[in-house]
Amino acid sequence: MADVQCVTCGQAGEAITDMLFLGKLEAEIKAKVCKPCWKKWEGMRVMVINEYQVNLGDESGRELVKKQMKAFLKLGEQADTSKIDQNYRPAGT
């Protein structure tokens, strides 16, 4: 099992082995993000889609989710996450 130095959490962690279906971005994510941080993003992605009422059938909606993903995973993009942060509820609360 390979490890990756994660840019999101700053720790060495288990590499992502699952198919992500993200095209060119997939290789970068697999090289820079650990599996636990990716799992956190998968939960956050649902919140992003709901809070911003994203239509994934629309190119602009998919771009918004991609921009939020890059910001969340610390892959060099900044995004306004205030809408998500103010409504965020940790699991089990």
Side-chain angles (χ1 to χ4, degrees):
M1 182 167 51
D3 278 355
V4 64
Q5 184 62 37
C6 183
V7 296
T8 306
C9 67
Q11 311 251 340
E14 183 181 351
I16 301 166
T17 55
D18 303 333
M19 292 293 295
L20 305 180
F21 305 104
L22 293 171
K24 296 175 187 175
L25 188 55
E26 183 170 343
E28 180 181 8
I29 290 170
K30 285 183 172 183
K32 294 182 178 180
V33 179
C34 67
K35 197 170 200 170
C37 287
W38 178 254
K39 292 293 181 195
K40 287 179 188 175
W41 162 249
E42 289 180 325
M44 184 62 81
R45 178 178 56 203
V46 173
M47 267 193 264
V48 167
I49 292 167
N50 290 337
E51 291 298 323
Y52 287 93
Q53 299 175 357
V54 175
N55 176 1
L56 293 175
D58 200 21
E59 180 65 28
S60 63
R62 291 189 300 273
E63 282 300 314
L64 178 111
V65 173
K66 185 188 290 186
K67 186 174 183 178
Q68 292 289 333
M69 177 188 67
K70 285 181 168 184
F72 182 83
L73 296 174
K74 299 179 183 173
L75 293 175
E77 283 211 25
Q78 299 297 316
D80 177 17
T81 57
S82 61
K83 191 170 186 178
I84 298 165
D85 293 339
Q86 67 187 348
N87 294 317
Y88 176 69
R89 303 283 187 282
T93 59

